[in-house]
Amino acid sequence: RLELAMQFTGDEQIETTIRINDQKLEIIPGRTSTADLSITVDSMSWLAFLAGKVSLPSLVLRGKLRFKGDLR
């Protein structure tokens, strides 16, 4: 079981929870208090990553992508 809390900041702000359990993926609007890992990312930076314009390490080094919790 894995539960991720995603918080997008900046121009497009939204919070969502992604739960993976028994090979099933569930997207839950909002944030739950049981997340194993919280990820906060600037929304425009995330879109740039998805488009292949920046790397995840670059986002972390610039403070645009932050993690809180167990990274295992």
Side-chain angles (χ1 to χ4, degrees), residues 3-72:
E3 193 166 299
L4 305 171
M6 292 283 300
Q7 179 181 10
F8 295 94
T9 61
D11 293 339
E12 300 289 330
Q13 298 182 15
I14 191 168
E15 290 185 345
T16 190
T17 300
I18 301 166
R19 185 178 293 149
I20 304 169
N21 193 20
D22 292 329
Q23 298 183 343
K24 295 178 186 172
L25 176 69
E26 183 179 7
I27 307 295
I28 305 161
R31 200 171 185 164
T32 67
S33 62
T34 59
D36 302 302
L37 178 65
S38 294
I39 302 168
T40 303
V41 64
D42 173 72
S43 59
M44 296 309 289
S45 297
W46 187 250
L47 291 175
F49 163 70
L50 293 176
K53 296 179 181 176
V54 296
S55 68
L56 288 181
S58 168
L59 293 179
V60 171
L61 290 174
R62 293 189 336 218
K64 301 289 186 176
L65 174 64
R66 296 182 306 276
F67 301 96
K68 183 178 180 182
D70 190 356
L71 287 173
R72 285 186 283 154

